[in-house]
Structure formats: C-alpha cells, structure tokens
Amino acid sequence: MKAVKVLDNVWWVGAIDWNLRNFHGYATPTGSTYNAYLIIDEKAALIDTVKAPLKDELLKRISSVIAPEKIDYVIANHAEMDHAGSLDAIKAAAPKAKFIAGKRGAEDINRHFKSKFDFQVVKTGDKIKIGKRSLEFIETPMVHWPDSMMTYCPEDAILYPNDMFGQHMATAARFDDECKWDIVRREAAKYYANIFMPLAGPAAKAHAAVLKLNINIIAPSHGIIWRKSHKDIMAEYKKWIAGTAERKAVVVYDTMWNSTEAMAKEIADGLLSEGVKVSYFGLQNNAPSEIMTDILEAKGVAIGSPTLNNLMLPSVSGFMNYLKGLKPAGKIGFAFGSHGWAGGGAAAVEEEMKECRIEIISPCVTCKYIPDDDVLKKSYESGVSLARIIKKAFE
Ligand code: FEO
C-alpha cells in the first residue's frame, strides 16, 4: 500500500473502507475513506489518522514515504474515532512525536484512550513551523463536534478541514479531477445534508473563516481531495448553509397494499404537471440518508403513510425521527395516506412534519381502503397546489 502524492512532499496516507455500508445510519453504498496526510519538511507532520481497524493501512502508507518513527508532529483535527482511532498506534510507532490538538479535542481524545497523550494544546491563530512550511490552526466548534478544528498550510495553500467538504465514498480516485463533478457534488451534498444540516450556524462561521484564506487545495478527511473544484464546492456550501432551495419537491412514503403508493404517484404527477422537479422515494427501497440529499435542495415535501394501529408505519416513524434531528429549514408540504377503518397515520405524519417546522400548506389527504377516482383526483390536485406555492416562492 503506497502513499499518494498530493504535492511535492505532501502525501495522502489514509485508508479506504470499501466494505462500509452504514455509518451511524448514513448509508454508504460504496464505502468511505478516512484521509490522513503526511507533510515532509525539516520536520515531518501527520494530519489525522484513520479508524482503528484500518491502522495497518495507515502505517504501511506512511512507511512507503518515511519510517513512522521519523514523524515529529501528529495533528488531531477531530476527536471522532474515524480520525483519532489510530492515534495510539501512531504513538507506539512514532515515540518521539509531539501530539497537537485543540483544548476540547485533547480532553476528548484522552477520555477515549487509556494511555494518555501529552498534547500541545492549540487555539485559533496558533501556528507551528515545520521548516519552510508552517501549519496554522483554526478552531471550528460543531463542525462537526465541539472539538473540531482545521489545519492550514499557507506555503502550500492547502486547507485540511477535516469533516467539512468531505464525502462518504470509496473510490480508487483521490482527486476531484479524476471523478465526475456531478457524482462528487452529490456525495458532498449527501454529507452536508446528513451531517451539517442541523449545524448550519457553526458551518457558516467556519465557511467565513475559510473564505479569508488563499487556497489551492482542500484536503478533507473523507472522500476525494478538491484540487480543481475547491471554489465550486465552497460555492455549493454557501448555498447549502443558506438553505437555498430549488423549484423541487420530494415525495416520500411507505405503503402496505399500494393505496398510499397510488396516492404518492398522483401527487408526483400533479407536481410534475406544473413543471416542478420531483424526487420520489418509497421507504422500502431507499435509505433515509439518500432521501435527505434531495430534501436539502427541495422547497416542498409530501410525506405519506398508511395507518397501522392508529399511527404511521414504523418505517415512516423512523424516517420522521431522522428528519427531525436534521432540522430542515424553510420547507413546505403536506401529509397523506390510506387507512382501513379508523385513520390516524396521515394525521400523525402531519404532526411530525409540524415538529420538523415544515409549513403545512394543505390538510392531509386521506383514503379509506383503495383510492377511488375522487381520492386520486384530490391527491393530484394537492400535488398541483404544492407546486404552485413552490413556484410562487421563486417569483
Ligand atoms: Fe469524520 Fe466527525 O468525523
């Protein structure tokens, strides 16, 4: 396993988690990567590590450049174990290395490991010289945890922002110019939607701090490195942080005997008839984290569930719980769903949508048993109404 050159004397030495399929509920159909970077100057500095089970991959990649015992500095930008998990292995392999972290990062990492680290604690504005290069630190609390910080090398014009600008994807490519923009952009949007959407305030502060820097390369801790499209991903983050939506709606539902599904199709047709883009997801076949990627950039949301024991289906309940945690802002929509006798499913969805601060624009559309022509027409018309309000929001 070899290191990958980022620039002269700057190396990617991370690990690829090809078989990862679920990261705390975030579906990762191709896997993920944990990016660590080795900078060789008069001193050698390692930025971040990898998840503990992949520590040998990290050590082999470092060893393809220098003997690990020659590392002088280890910078822990973030205490979460996908990046800090191999710090103990590095400590054993590089006994003379000085470990550097922010105050909270040092505390949290030392809570995790039995063998404590004698951290050099840094704060925003602090820097170390490693030869002709310097490394500067920028605290970015809640991007993604309270301890998070970024490292910036002005001489290389590289930002090491840890989680920000990352993507959970495993690929043989290391750089954005080796991938299609649309694919990497969607993975970055998925990462933002599922990690940073409820943290838009802290992300805005971090984004503003990054904007002041001279940057040629953004080297995040997950996924590909932005050396061609760093300005484009900065612009995308600006839109996501601002909650900028498109003329688009997402239809999400689960179904028991296809009645709620028939309603969902009519709602989608009604939206499309008005020229509004639609993303359509049945919960039996789509991961909530994938659906969130589309909700990030949609103005409208229609969510449907049949009734089970006077409530919504557990699959829809789980989705609503996930949605609530991610705090989507500025969305509008309505609920829908079928029932056999006593209802309750669609009304329960509507209540959860209100808790998500989704503005309810029309009463929930319900159906007893199988949707007749009248129910199908009402479903279609609800889609049309939602589309017209979405379009009005963009006038
Ligand atoms: Fe990739 Fe918050 O860790």
Side-chain angles (χ1 to χ4, degrees):
M1 284 177 183
K2 302 274 189 213
V4 177
K5 186 175 171 181
V6 178
L7 281 179
D8 283 346
N9 293 313
V10 179
W11 300 88
W12 175 85
V13 289
I16 306 177
D17 201 351
W18 294 102
N19 281 324
L20 183 80
R21 290 294 173 268
N22 187 311
F23 193 103
H24 310 160
Y26 181 135
T28 52
T30 65
S32 189
T33 63
Y34 315 110
N35 294 337
Y37 300 94
L38 182 65
I39 306 168
I40 309 292
D41 206 309
E42 288 169 26
K43 304 283 186 186
L46 177 69
I47 298 181
D48 290 319
T49 69
V50 302
K51 211 160 109 174
L54 298 172
K55 65 178 185 301
D56 289 344
E57 206 169 308
L58 169 72
L59 286 165
K60 281 179 188 168
R61 288 205 165 92
I62 293 170
S63 300
S64 73
V65 180
I66 57 164
E69 61 263 31
K70 291 187 176 165
I71 294 173
D72 299 286
Y73 291 105
V74 180
I75 292 140
N77 274 331
H78 185 17
E80 193 165 9
M81 283 296 120
D82 46 342
H83 312 296
S86 297
L87 283 172
D88 55 347
I90 293 295
K91 189 179 178 187
K96 73 176 173 75
K98 185 78 195 160
F99 286 74
I100 294 175
K103 182 172 181 294
R104 184 67 184 261
E107 289 168 5
D108 289 350
I109 290 165
N110 272 335
R111 274 191 197 97
H112 185 86
F113 291 103
K114 282 196 182 116
S115 165
K116 304 302 174 201
F117 292 82
D118 179 21
F119 279 110
Q120 177 179 335
V121 172
V122 293
K123 59 184 185 312
T124 297
D126 288 351
K127 60 177 82 171
I128 59 168
K129 285 290 283 181
I130 60 169
K132 70 178 177 61
R133 293 174 178 81
S134 53
L135 298 175
E136 301 178 5
F137 307 104
I138 306 157
E139 292 166 288
T140 52
M142 296 316 296
V143 185
H144 144 236
W145 277 7
D147 65 280
S148 296
M149 71 173 194
M150 299 181 179
T151 299
Y152 172 60
C153 178
E155 294 81 8
D156 288 333
I158 300 186
L159 178 70
Y160 302 93
N162 198 265
D163 281 333
M164 200 170 182
F165 309 114
Q167 332 92 50
H168 274 314
M169 60 188 288
T171 163
R174 298 274 65 81
F175 299 99
D176 53 349
D177 47 41
E178 299 166 345
C179 303
K180 288 199 165 76
W181 160 256
D182 287 352
I183 291 171
V184 186
R185 181 205 173 276
R186 177 157 179 100
E187 291 295 339
K190 183 177 175 183
Y191 196 89
Y192 182 88
N194 288 278
I195 307 283
F196 288 124
M197 189 147 64
L199 305 170
K205 283 184 191 158
H207 190 270
V210 170
L211 269 179
K212 293 178 189 157
L213 305 174
N214 172 40
I215 291 173
N216 288 333
I217 297 174
I218 295 178
S221 59
H222 296 289
I224 65 89
I225 298 164
W226 306 97
R227 68 181 175 189
K228 177 186 170 210
S229 310
H230 51 92
K231 287 187 179 152
D232 299 316
I233 195 61
M234 286 286 293
E236 295 300 310
Y237 256 72
K238 189 177 177 192
K239 284 194 292 183
W240 298 332
I241 287 166
T244 307
E246 294 178 18
R247 289 180 195 209
K248 172 175 164 177
V250 179
V251 179
V252 188
Y253 69 96
D254 202 351
T255 198
M256 289 167 76
W257 295 104
N258 304 103
S259 292
T260 302
E261 182 172 64
M263 298 168 79
K265 284 183 178 166
E266 291 297 325
I267 291 164
D269 272 359
L271 286 156
L272 288 168
S273 74
E274 288 289 317
V276 165
K277 281 198 268 181
V278 174
S279 294
Y280 180 91
F281 295 103
L283 282 165
Q284 290 175 23
N285 302 307
N286 293 283
S289 54
E290 200 62 55
I291 300 169
M292 285 311 305
T293 313
D294 284 72
I295 289 180
L296 171 68
E297 295 180 315
K299 181 70 182 166
V301 190
I303 305 175
S305 177
T307 297
L308 180 72
N309 300 326
N310 303 109
L311 294 169
M312 67 188 99
L313 280 185
S315 54
V316 184
S317 179
F319 174 75
M320 295 309 299
N321 192 50
Y322 191 73
L323 183 66
K324 211 186 306 180
L326 292 175
K327 299 185 173 73
K331 310 297 178 193
I332 61 173
F334 65 89
F336 64 97
S338 67
H339 56 271
W341 49 101
V349 171
E350 184 180 287
E351 283 310 305
E352 291 277 307
M353 289 175 78
K354 287 177 186 166
E355 284 192 37
C356 292
R357 294 186 297 170
I358 297 170
E359 183 189 341
I360 303 298
I361 56 103
S362 57
C364 47
V365 190
T366 58
C367 156
K368 191 166 183 179
Y369 289 106
I370 305 299
D372 58 15
D373 287 347
D374 184 47
V375 167
L376 294 175
K377 185 162 175 276
K378 273 187 191 154
S379 301
Y380 183 88
E381 284 171 353
S382 294
V384 169
S385 297
L386 179 57
R388 287 181 180 160
I389 298 172
I390 290 170
K391 289 199 294 187
K392 207 163 172 67
F394 289 91
E395 282 174 6

